[in-house]
Amino acid sequence: MRKKYNALRSNTYVMQIFTLMSGTLVAQLVMLAFVPILTRLYSPAEFGVYSLFFSVSNVLGMVSSLKYDQAIMLPRSDRNALALVLLSIFITLGMVVLVGLSIFLFDDLIISYFNNLGHVIWLIPVGVFLTGFLQIFNAYSSRYQFYKQLSVVRVVNAFSVISVQIGSKYFIQYQSSIIEKLKLDTFIQEKLKLYPFIQERLKFDAFIQEGLQEGLKFDGLIIGKLLADLISLLSLIRHHFKRQTLQFFSVSRRRLIVNAKRYSHFPKYQSITVFLNAISQNIPILLLSSLYSVEIAGLYALTVRVLQAPIGLIGASTREVYYQKASKLHANDENFYNLYIKTTLGLLKIFIFPLLIVLFFGEYLFGFVFGSRWNESGVFAQILIFWFACGFINYPSIVSYSILNLQKIQMRLEVISLILRFLAIYIGYYLFKSYYISIGLFMIVSVLTNGFSIFFIKHKLKKITT
């Protein structure tokens, strides 16, 4: 037993995954522990607006650097990697400005889509900025194997999100109760007539309170996530400055141009692929809110949030370490077929137990844990669990496309996947008027496309080996 333990500790690959996984585990446990409180503070409609907001900002944010962030891991030279970081930052800032201008020009159209919550849409550029920059510094931190710092950041992020999301709701409720008591207390009102300046101050406070109530009614969830992401970003940047890995003055204009051209297949193919994939992943939120209602989108959003917990726990950590390890093997002209098979089968074994639990007890568990008004989220979970299982074991194949320079093929697959997912939801609506059928058809299409991707990469790597 001791020999196995020592062998495990000496396995760098496993320990790197464990380091990232431990931080993600704590973060996911914190998030899951407080979700039952959030579901009792916020309604499905509020979750729907929150999910719609981040569906839009994440779709744009994920491609804000034109995916040069994914190339950061690949160069042998640290200076070339730093050049890609700087290039990604410039492009992301340009994208944020472009999104802001688009909102300014088409605000009426966008506001109508967001349930006339005008103040929400002006937070979209902030969401794009944070998503884009976090991608860049996550990739750069993985290159330097700052896995411990990434782990800590994820834990802090989880506590920050929950603190603001819960705190903002209680703050508004507390302030509202005080003002209502003052309004109803006739003795206090009579006394206040003697002090007009206090009355005016209370009227002003009530006006501000009403505005805050309208804003935070739907924005407490959104603001909590944005503030948490900002804290995470600043923490990563601070760590890089401390380690002196952000010496941007050493990057020449020529080096920027050379690396932009060398990795031009990322903006040409990978950015389009990721954009299409992001739309494919978020298309249920975007379509369910417009075809059915924002409440249905909110119920679906909770399902996704809960089912993504095991994926966030192991899948994301495995992907980052696998990408670093496989990229290094490929750069040294070594094949990583065995690493691919080992990682994929390992993920499959891990997910079997959660799949069975959700499949047989999903509706009961969701109703018991999150409240009776979320029962339908449990039914959604029973339908979608097969998609999440395939998505969970699909992580190695997704990053393998980039390593093998198969972005063009991946882009074509994403186009097909997007079209099929779009049709699946629309068929469920127009032919059956049933969001259950829409979600079911979406699940079937997603399982088939993920399965194809896994076996396609396996075939390619095996071909290289032979």
Side-chain angles (χ1 to χ4, degrees):
M1 189 73 179
R2 191 174 183 82
K3 286 182 179 179
K4 287 184 178 180
Y5 174 75
N6 290 332
L8 190 65
R9 283 186 62 87
S10 63
N11 190 323
T12 307
Y13 181 61
V14 173
M15 290 307 296
Q16 286 173 343
I17 292 176
F18 179 77
T19 301
L20 267 182
M21 195 175 72
S22 60
T24 312
L25 169 62
V26 175
Q28 291 297 335
L29 288 176
V30 169
M31 296 295 290
L32 284 176
F34 286 95
V35 166
I37 298 175
L38 291 175
T39 54
R40 286 165 173 82
L41 289 175
Y42 295 94
S43 68
E46 291 169 319
F47 265 90
V49 172
Y50 166 77
S51 304
L52 182 59
F53 172 85
F54 279 103
S55 292
V56 174
S57 61
N58 285 343
V59 166
L60 297 173
M62 288 179 73
V63 294
S64 58
S65 68
L66 298 181
K67 297 323 293 174
Y68 275 113
D69 61 282
Q70 283 199 354
I72 291 169
M73 200 81 74
L74 300 178
R76 294 184 183 182
S77 164
D78 287 338
R79 281 196 177 185
N80 286 335
L82 185 59
L84 288 168
V85 171
L86 189 57
L87 181 65
S88 299
I89 288 172
F90 286 149
I91 296 172
T92 300
L93 290 174
M95 183 67 75
V96 170
V97 172
L98 186 63
V99 170
L101 287 173
S102 300
I103 292 173
F104 178 75
L105 294 173
F106 306 104
D107 60 332
D108 290 338
L109 178 64
I110 301 170
I111 287 172
S112 64
Y113 194 70
F114 274 88
N115 256 10
N116 293 316
L117 297 169
H119 50 281
V120 170
I121 67 168
W122 288 107
L123 292 173
I124 292 176
V126 179
V128 173
F129 171 85
L130 291 172
T131 302
F133 270 66
L134 276 172
Q135 281 186 143
I136 295 166
F137 283 95
N138 276 330
Y140 199 43
S141 298
S142 292
R143 178 183 175 85
Y144 279 95
Q145 300 183 22
F146 293 160
Y147 297 123
K148 187 176 180 180
Q149 182 65 20
L150 285 170
S151 183
V152 171
V153 163
R154 287 173 186 176
V155 174
V156 173
N157 184 279
F159 277 106
S160 303
V161 169
I162 293 300
S163 299
V164 179
Q165 289 180 340
I166 293 176
S168 63
K169 197 71 171 180
Y170 277 116
F171 172 76
I172 288 300
Q173 290 176 351
Y174 174 72
Q175 293 291 324
S176 298
S177 64
I178 291 176
I179 290 175
E180 286 302 316
K181 283 179 182 178
L182 288 173
K183 286 180 180 177
L184 294 174
D185 196 316
T186 53
F187 175 76
I188 292 176
Q189 289 296 325
E190 288 297 322
K191 290 292 181 183
L192 286 175
K193 287 179 182 178
L194 301 174
Y195 305 97
F197 69 93
I198 297 180
Q199 262 193 327
E200 291 302 316
R201 175 57 192 268
L202 284 172
K203 287 179 183 178
F204 176 75
D205 286 348
F207 173 76
I208 295 297
Q209 179 60 40
E210 188 179 343
L212 282 170
Q213 222 169 356
E214 281 300 307
L216 290 179
K217 181 182 178 182
F218 283 93
D219 300 2
L221 290 167
I222 295 172
I223 292 171
K225 184 67 171 70
L226 293 177
L227 283 176
D229 286 349
L230 177 61
I231 292 169
S232 298
L233 176 61
L234 293 175
S235 178
L236 287 176
I237 292 173
R238 180 177 173 273
H239 189 73
H240 278 282
F241 271 117
K242 192 176 178 182
R243 294 297 186 93
Q244 297 184 341
T245 56
L246 294 176
Q247 308 296 323
F248 289 127
F249 60 84
S250 65
V251 179
S252 65
R253 184 178 177 182
R254 181 179 175 278
R255 191 179 291 272
L256 278 176
I257 295 169
V258 167
N259 280 280
K261 290 179 178 178
R262 181 180 297 162
Y263 297 100
S264 61
H265 50 280
F266 280 90
K268 284 180 182 176
Y269 304 115
Q270 189 70 9
S271 62
I272 298 172
T273 300
V274 171
F275 181 69
L276 293 173
N277 180 259
I279 294 177
S280 293
Q281 298 293 330
N282 290 283
I283 205 169
I285 297 289
L286 300 171
L287 289 182
L288 289 174
S289 59
S290 61
L291 296 177
Y292 296 103
S293 69
V294 75
E295 285 83 5
I296 298 301
L299 291 166
Y300 173 88
L302 179 72
T303 304
V304 172
R305 184 170 183 167
V306 173
L307 292 185
Q308 273 181 341
I311 293 178
L313 169 60
I314 301 170
S317 303
T318 304
R319 178 187 61 191
E320 290 174 21
V321 179
Y322 170 84
Y323 190 30
Q324 191 270 338
K325 198 86 171 178
S327 298
K328 193 173 181 179
L329 288 170
H330 188 67
N332 294 326
D333 296 323
E334 297 179 51
N335 191 272
F336 53 94
Y337 174 80
N338 291 333
L339 181 68
Y340 175 79
I341 295 296
K342 177 185 174 182
T343 307
T344 304
L345 290 178
L347 292 172
L348 176 61
K349 290 175 185 176
I350 290 169
F351 205 85
I352 290 173
F353 181 69
L355 185 148
L356 294 174
I357 293 295
V358 173
L359 186 62
F360 291 107
F361 306 106
E363 183 178 3
Y364 168 76
L365 288 173
F366 271 73
F368 176 76
V369 175
F370 305 114
S372 57
R373 61 180 175 178
W374 299 93
N375 279 345
E376 276 193 293
S377 290
V379 179
F380 292 172
Q382 291 173 310
I383 298 170
L384 292 169
I385 190 62
F386 296 103
W387 169 43
F388 277 90
C390 287
F392 182 71
I393 65 175
N394 195 30
Y395 274 125
S397 70
I398 291 172
V399 297
S400 295
Y401 279 104
S402 297
I403 298 169
L404 298 171
N405 287 326
L406 296 173
Q407 290 92 341
K408 198 170 183 179
I409 294 172
Q410 189 182 18
M411 184 182 70
R412 290 171 181 170
L413 181 62
E414 285 302 331
V415 171
I416 295 169
S417 176
L418 176 59
I419 294 170
L420 291 176
R421 286 175 171 180
F422 182 85
L423 290 173
I425 295 175
Y426 260 92
I427 288 170
Y429 174 74
Y430 281 110
L431 294 186
F432 304 98
K433 301 293 181 184
S434 169
Y435 48 83
Y436 287 119
I437 294 177
S438 289
I439 292 170
L441 292 174
F442 172 84
M443 180 273 296
I444 292 169
V445 167
S446 300
V447 167
L448 291 174
T449 52
N450 279 324
F452 174 82
S453 185
I454 291 166
F455 285 101
F456 174 76
I457 292 296
K458 177 181 177 290
H459 172 73
K460 280 288 181 185
L461 287 173
K462 193 172 183 179
K463 195 174 178 181
I464 295 170
T465 306
T466 55

